[in-house]
């Protein structure tokens, strides 16, 4: 049963130096036109009833509230649904946050990345560290009771102390949830070009592992639950929508380049505006790639996604029981009742452990 929807908003004020997400600089008019097409795209699918709605990007907070409201009004939304919007601090003020609250957004995910001005500049972020914090406090004042913050670590030349300082600043703010991502050097980004030219350097694996361990210990001491590899929350404040991905549940994805998973099929939308708009104009779903998921792949997904959930893990079946027992003997998994979860040792080499299930 599909009860989650991801809505991609492919616009940003500016392209950050490390980011390869599908997004472009935009003006107000392109945002309005884009939403007109999103509404038409929604009509191409059955009218599901949603318990989670996630506006991701790009920068959804760049859209006018009226346009976000037009989308919400088009959807059948369950009472008490989690409705998340990703926010870039440079795009909102108190008034806009109040409006967002009023139209029904009840969870924000704010891109902070760092509180250190040296790194904010290096990353190509347009906001200061103070503006990042101000956005959070304005959101609280506007009545948001469920806020997630994004932080990055393992940045070029960053040391353990700087990571600790960033995390401490974040923990002092007491968000309900935070995500912390180790920098990925994505091809086609400014960072990647600088890496190739030797102008920037990757963090050594050992240092990155030390940073990650320090992050986990510090967050847990502060009362946060490390419930997914990159995600921490206060009790009962896990991201409901994202948890559907890790639980291998089906969801609708709409918008340019959005991915979705419906009726045993994973799909990805057109990534060029012209093709995306043309397809919707002809009342054809703007899907560029689709892949039927076989039973075998479904089972594999159960393990590679399920082990990301560090508290819940997976109950293995059939041939996978032996594999889990063997990984447990080698110290990569821990058995908790019927469930197997990643151990700390397994977590530090999670990709290798997950590869065992493909
Ligand atoms: C769509 S953005 C969040 C909202 C908004 N666009 C912003 O940046 O403020 C999603 C998050 O992915 C993370 N991210 C993007 N590119 C990354 C990369 N190359 N390596 C690690 N994390 C990355 C950042 O933490 C970012 O906040
Ligand atoms: S990190 Fe966010 S604001 Fe920066 S380019 Fe990526 S999507 Fe846009």
């Amino acid at each position: 049963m599909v009860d989650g929807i991801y809505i991609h908003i492919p616009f940003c004020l500016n392209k950050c130096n490390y980011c390869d997400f599908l997004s472009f600089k935009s003006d107000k008019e392109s945002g309005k036109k884009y939403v007109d097409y999103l509404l038409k795209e929604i009509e191409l699918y059955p009218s599901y009833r949603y318990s989670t709605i996630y506006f991701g990007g790009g920068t959804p907070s760049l859209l006018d509230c009226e346009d976000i409201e037009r989308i919400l009004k088009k959807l059948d939304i369950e009472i008490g649904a989690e409705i998340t919007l990703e926010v870039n601090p440079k795009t909102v003020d108190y008034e806009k946050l109040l409006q967002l609250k009023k139209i029904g957004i009840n969870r924000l995910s704010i891109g902070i990345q760092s509180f250190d001005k040296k790194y904010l500049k290096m990353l190509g972020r347009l906001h200061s560290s103070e503006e990042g914090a101000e956005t959070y406090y304005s959101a609280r004042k506007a009545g948001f009771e469920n806020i997630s913050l994004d932080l990055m670590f393992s940045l070029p030349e960053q040391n353990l102390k700087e990571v600790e300082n960033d995390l401490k600043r974040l923990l002092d703010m007491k968000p309900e949830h935070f995500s912390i991502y180790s920098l990925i050097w994505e091809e086609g980004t400014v960072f990647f070009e600088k890496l190739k030219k030797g102008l920037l350097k990757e963090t050594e694996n050992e240092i990155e592992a030390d940073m990650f361990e320090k992050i986990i210990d510090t967050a847990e001491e502060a009362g946060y639950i490390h419930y997914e590899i990159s995600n921490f929350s206060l009790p009962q404040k896990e991201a409901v929508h994202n948890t559907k991905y890790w639980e291998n549940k089906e969801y609708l994805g709409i918008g340019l380049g959005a991915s979705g998973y419906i009726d045993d099929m994973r799909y990805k939308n057109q990534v060029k505006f012209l093709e995306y708009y043309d397809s919707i104009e002809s009342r054809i779903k703007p899907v560029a790639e689709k892949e039927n998921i076989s039973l075998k792949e479904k089972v594999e997904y159960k393990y590679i996604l399920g082990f990301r959930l560090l508290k819940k893990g997976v109950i293995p079946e059939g041939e996978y029981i032996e594999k889990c027992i063997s990984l447990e003997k080698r110290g990569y998994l821990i058995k908790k009742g019927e469930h197997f979860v990643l151990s700390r040792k397994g977590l530090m080499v999670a990709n290798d452990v997950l590869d065992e299930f493909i």
Side-chain angles (χ1 to χ4, degrees), residues 97-142:
L97 289 163
L98 262 185
Q99 257 185 303
L100 287 169
K101 183 88 199 353
K102 208 164 129 206
I103 63 169
I105 303 295
N106 55 27
R107 184 172 183 271
L108 299 180
S109 170
I110 307 174
I112 297 284
Q113 321 311 354
S114 173
F115 290 101
D116 187 325
K117 67 173 186 235
K118 178 170 86 182
Y119 291 108
L120 287 172
K121 185 157 183 263
M122 178 197 276
L123 294 168
R125 300 293 290 183
L126 299 177
H127 55 89
S128 64
S129 129
E130 291 74 24
E131 284 170 323
E134 250 170 60
T135 301
Y136 172 83
Y137 290 114
S138 296
R140 283 283 188 235
K141 208 168 127 207

Side-chain angles (χ1 to χ4, degrees), residues 1 38 64 68 81 113 118 127 135 152 222 228 254 259 306 353:
M1 233 288 288
L38 281 179
D64 280 342
I68 300 171
Q113 321 311 354
K118 178 170 86 182
H127 55 89
T135 301
M152 293 170 73
E228 196 273 342
I254 63 160
S259 303
V353 177

Side-chain angles (χ1 to χ4, degrees), residues 175-214:
E176 281 70 27
H177 185 282
F178 68 94
S179 309
I180 186 155
Y181 303 110
S182 155
L183 173 69
I184 302 170
W185 297 81
E186 302 282 7
E187 235 177 299
T189 60
V190 172
F191 264 26
F192 195 80
E193 284 313 304
K194 288 194 174 170
L195 179 72
K196 271 200 320 202
K197 288 186 188 144
L199 299 171
L200 289 177
K201 230 174 68 204
E202 281 181 87
T203 309
E204 281 169 35
N205 286 345
E206 243 175 67
I207 297 178
E208 185 179 330
D210 287 348
M211 288 173 172
F212 192 37
E213 293 222 65
K214 190 75 201 170

Side-chain angles (χ1 to χ4, degrees), residues 33-285:
K33 174 178 173 186
Y34 183 73
V35 171
D36 291 342
Y37 279 88
L38 281 179
L39 300 184
K40 290 185 204 171
E41 187 184 359
I42 292 169
E43 286 173 6
L44 301 175
Y45 287 94
S47 50
Y48 300 113
R49 187 141 223 258
Y50 297 109
S51 62
T52 62
I53 299 173
Y54 193 100
F55 290 92
T59 306
S61 54
L62 259 182
L63 288 182
D64 280 342
C65 288
E66 301 85 75
D67 289 322
I68 300 171
E69 194 176 21
R70 281 202 290 148
I71 304 170
L72 291 175
K73 284 199 166 141
K74 188 86 183 169
L75 303 172
D76 184 4
I77 308 173
E78 238 176 70
I79 293 173
E82 179 194 84
I83 309 178
T84 306
L85 184 99
E86 287 182 352
V87 170
N88 179 307
K90 204 67 192 174
T91 60
V92 292
D93 55 14
Y94 174 64
E95 289 305 319
K96 180 150 184 176
L97 289 163
L98 262 185
Q99 257 185 303
L100 287 169
K101 183 88 199 353
K102 208 164 129 206
I103 63 169
I105 303 295
N106 55 27
R107 184 172 183 271
L108 299 180
S109 170
I110 307 174
I112 297 284
Q113 321 311 354
S114 173
F115 290 101
D116 187 325
K117 67 173 186 235
K118 178 170 86 182
Y119 291 108
L120 287 172
K121 185 157 183 263
M122 178 197 276
L123 294 168
R125 300 293 290 183
L126 299 177
H127 55 89
S128 64
S129 129
E130 291 74 24
E131 284 170 323
E134 250 170 60
T135 301
Y136 172 83
Y137 290 114
S138 296
R140 283 283 188 235
K141 208 168 127 207
F144 283 96
E145 292 174 348
N146 198 0
I147 304 181
S148 180
L149 302 179
D150 279 354
L151 211 59
M152 293 170 73
F153 74 102
S154 187
L155 303 174
E157 308 292 338
Q158 194 179 31
N159 61 41
L160 185 61
K161 191 79 210 144
E162 290 169 326
V163 173
E164 276 185 81
N165 288 343
D166 261 355
L167 183 63
K168 285 207 174 105
R169 281 281 306 266
L170 180 141
L171 294 174
D172 284 346
M173 291 159 74
K174 299 192 171 47
E176 281 70 27
H177 185 282
F178 68 94
S179 309
I180 186 155
Y181 303 110
S182 155
L183 173 69
I184 302 170
W185 297 81
E186 302 282 7
E187 235 177 299
T189 60
V190 172
F191 264 26
F192 195 80
E193 284 313 304
K194 288 194 174 170
L195 179 72
K196 271 200 320 202
K197 288 186 188 144
L199 299 171
L200 289 177
K201 230 174 68 204
E202 281 181 87
T203 309
E204 281 169 35
N205 286 345
E206 243 175 67
I207 297 178
E208 185 179 330
D210 287 348
M211 288 173 172
F212 192 37
E213 293 222 65
K214 190 75 201 170
I215 289 164
I216 299 167
D217 293 339
T218 312
E220 287 182 343
E221 272 162 33
Y224 285 82
I225 301 164
H226 187 199
Y227 75 99
E228 196 273 342
I229 295 177
S230 308
N231 288 280
F232 296 78
S233 82
L234 293 178
Q236 267 102 55
K237 293 292 179 185
E238 296 90 354
V240 183
H241 181 82
N242 294 357
T243 300
K244 289 180 182 172
Y245 302 149
W246 302 313
E247 288 181 342
N248 203 15
K249 295 200 169 134
E250 295 198 328
Y251 65 97
L252 181 64
I254 63 160
L256 194 79
S259 303
Y261 178 31
I262 291 182
D263 297 334
D264 290 331
M265 189 187 74
R266 290 197 180 264
Y267 67 89
K268 187 169 158 47
N269 272 354
Q270 301 283 2
V271 294
K272 293 202 171 129
F273 281 108
L274 209 63
E275 284 157 12
Y276 174 74
Y277 288 152
D278 274 355
S279 180
I280 293 177
E281 206 64 76
S282 319
R283 305 222 135 248
I284 296 170
K285 288 175 190 161

Side-chain angles (χ1 to χ4, degrees), residues 208-209 212 216 226 228-230 303-310 327 331-333 341-358:
E208 185 179 330
F212 192 37
I216 299 167
H226 187 199
E228 196 273 342
I229 295 177
S230 308
Y303 293 91
I304 54 176
L305 293 172
F307 279 122
R308 297 192 64 97
L309 288 171
L310 303 174
L327 284 162
Y332 296 110
L333 295 180
V341 296
L342 282 177
S343 65
R344 177 66 74 94
K345 178 176 161 188
L347 175 62
M348 301 314 287
V349 289
N351 286 340
D352 297 328
V353 177
L354 299 182
D355 275 351
E356 295 270 323
F357 294 88
I358 300 173

